[in-house]
Amino acid sequence: MSNRLISKLLSKMNGRELFAYFSLFILSFGLYFESIHFGYVLDDVIVLSENSFVQKGIKGIWNILSNESFTGYFGEQKDLVTGARYRPLSLVSFAIEFEFFGNAPNISHLMNIILYAIIGCSLFFLFKILIPNLSIHKWYWSFPFIASCLFIAHPIHSEAVANIKGRDEILSLLFSILTLISWIRFHDTGRKFYQFSAIILFLLAIFSKENAVTFIAIIPLTMWLFRSQNLTKSFIKSWPLFLCFLFFIVVRWQVIGYFLSNGIVIDDLMNNPFVGMKFSEKIATIFYTIIWYFKLLLFPHPLTHDYYPYHVPRVGFNNPIAIISIALTIFLLYIAFYFRTKNKVISYSILFYFITFSIVSNFIFPVGTFMNERFLFMPSVAFSFLCGYYLFQLSILQNPLSKWTSWTLSILLLTAYSVKTISRVPDWKNGFSLNLSAVNVSKNSARINLFTGVSYFQKYQPEDNPQKKFEYLSLAETYIDKSLAIFPAYGQALNMKAGVLAEWLKKDNDIKKFLVKLESVIKVKPNLDFVTKYMDYLTKDPENNNLMFPYLKHVGYDVLYKETRNYEYALHFLGLAYKINDQDADLNYYISCAYRDMARFGKLNSSKIQEYESKAKVFLDAAKALDPKYAK
């Protein structure tokens, strides 16, 4: 690529071209301005409004830099997801905002929009210097402007921009793009300043989010295809970026205490959706999501923030979509290889997409969910680049029809994306609107059904109108039941189910109905703190004894002992019954059986085994004394 051509291009940046940057800002604000009036939703509380480090303002920055990213919310490092999270730069930006504005979601939303607009402008500049000979046309009908507009308008970005927490995605991509621009300028001018700025920018990118590491491959790829630099030499020359990544890894290691994993297996389905899957099912399901991502790039509808189990189904290699996805992936990679010299734009776009997508694909390491729309934020640059390039190429063909076709397709695509984005943004207004929009799409997600149930429960609590109040409670129970039908062992849903049942009990005082419904909760999770406290509460009133005694016997023996083999909690519930009536022969026998099997199968030390065997004999003797049938 001629340096003279690039210099000529840069010298043409006059007042008219500034309209391009201004237009990209206007487009960004036009699409997302409404979000300025929104509050905090989802993980915004974790990274900002209830993060103790962020709430210290500038004084909390060192805490942010020296701790895992969720520690400021939980008070300790929880390691809820594989590899933990260390993305301090977005939290630092929130701390600075808090220092000057306090908890002001409108300021945080405004900053997201401004940063997003700057990404659009940075892409415009990048595309200009990437292919200069296609960038000297009128700014409003040039390849860089078309591609940048498509990127800004794409609805898949609404999650990253309209959700304050998406700041990590925004900063990571912004600094990654600026790193690439600086590296190209370093190559084109030979000025060390650009190399130094690239190093600083890359550090900022990678401390925003780990995804930026993929630019260690993207930058040599760019220099190879668009600056005719030998690929091996390109990698060697980018050694400062490798050192930056190594520095990040060392810092991250020191902060969270381990490299990639602390050895603890994440067995919570909501943080590891592949729990219980065979290896073949995991791979097939990942490929299933890959083709789903392709679909969202081309046709971003419907959109949802929830792809948790089992909105994305669990599939095997007998699923035709998984097989088609594998074939399509292989085909695209072959196309990228085939066109590496014949059509660099096609090759670059495909490789850019797969390289930046690789880190969130679940192939390299689990990301805590099947997929997410925000994971396409960085890879979608390739899609915008490819579409913008060919829409522009169509317009410069020596055929009037081609020009009008190009204009029509561009306007239609930009309009369709903009309309979809504008209609999607209001979903992020608050937690209720977001959950309600998602549950209509992610109907088979345990998580969003629970969250919707919680939203209705929160509406139920302050409501004064009795009819509306219990309509909300009924809806809360309906969605929570859907969540448990999908994932019966979902602890949070079971806890909410018990809470809802308690509210119905307050309304109608029907203890029998309450206990019958509570049995399904106890069966799965008898150790819920709520259940323990409510059993204690109900057994303290002697008037409940006639109802509680047979219930506790039934749950302790028939459900927990015989059905689920949970001997520890079988003894707990049988013990509650024993406090009510210790002269029941059947109950003494049931307790004896539970102690006996606890000694046999409870994985106890020898002293405990002897203790439980002794107790089993005591209760069996009591049963024999109370009823001769047990003496046989």
Side-chain angles (χ1 to χ4, degrees), residues 237-258:
K237 286 186 176 181
S238 62
W239 64 265
L241 304 181
F242 285 92
L243 287 182
C244 290
F245 176 60
L246 181 61
F247 174 71
F248 168 77
I249 288 295
V250 171
V251 172
R252 185 181 189 278
W253 194 340
Q254 290 298 309
V255 169
I256 69 171
Y258 52 85

Side-chain angles (χ1 to χ4, degrees), residues 24 27-28 31-32 116-117 120-121 147-154 157:
L24 293 171
L27 180 60
S28 301
L31 294 173
Y32 288 98
Y116 186 59
C121 294
S148 301
C149 284
L150 288 176
F151 177 86
I152 288 174
H154 205 296
H157 301 155

Side-chain angles (χ1 to χ4, degrees), residues 80-94:
L80 297 175
V81 290
T82 301
R85 293 292 180 264
Y86 184 63
R87 300 163 184 172
L89 197 58
S90 60
L91 272 67
V92 168
S93 72
F94 297 141

Side-chain angles (χ1 to χ4, degrees), residues 22 65 67 94 129 151 234 346 348 405 407 453 495 546 581 594:
F22 180 72
L65 294 173
N67 285 278
F94 297 141
I129 63 173
F151 177 86
S234 295
I346 290 178
Y348 184 71
T405 301
W407 276 73
N495 203 44
N546 290 337
N581 180 7

Side-chain angles (χ1 to χ4, degrees), residues 319-338:
N319 185 286
I321 295 177
I323 299 302
I324 292 170
S325 179
I326 294 171
L328 181 58
T329 301
I330 294 171
F331 174 73
L332 288 173
L333 291 173
Y334 168 75
I335 290 294
F337 175 78
Y338 179 79

Side-chain angles (χ1 to χ4, degrees), residues 606-618:
S606 57
S607 62
K608 275 291 182 184
I609 290 173
Q610 290 178 357
E611 178 188 338
Y612 283 13
E613 286 176 343
S614 176
K615 287 183 177 181
K617 185 178 184 306
V618 169

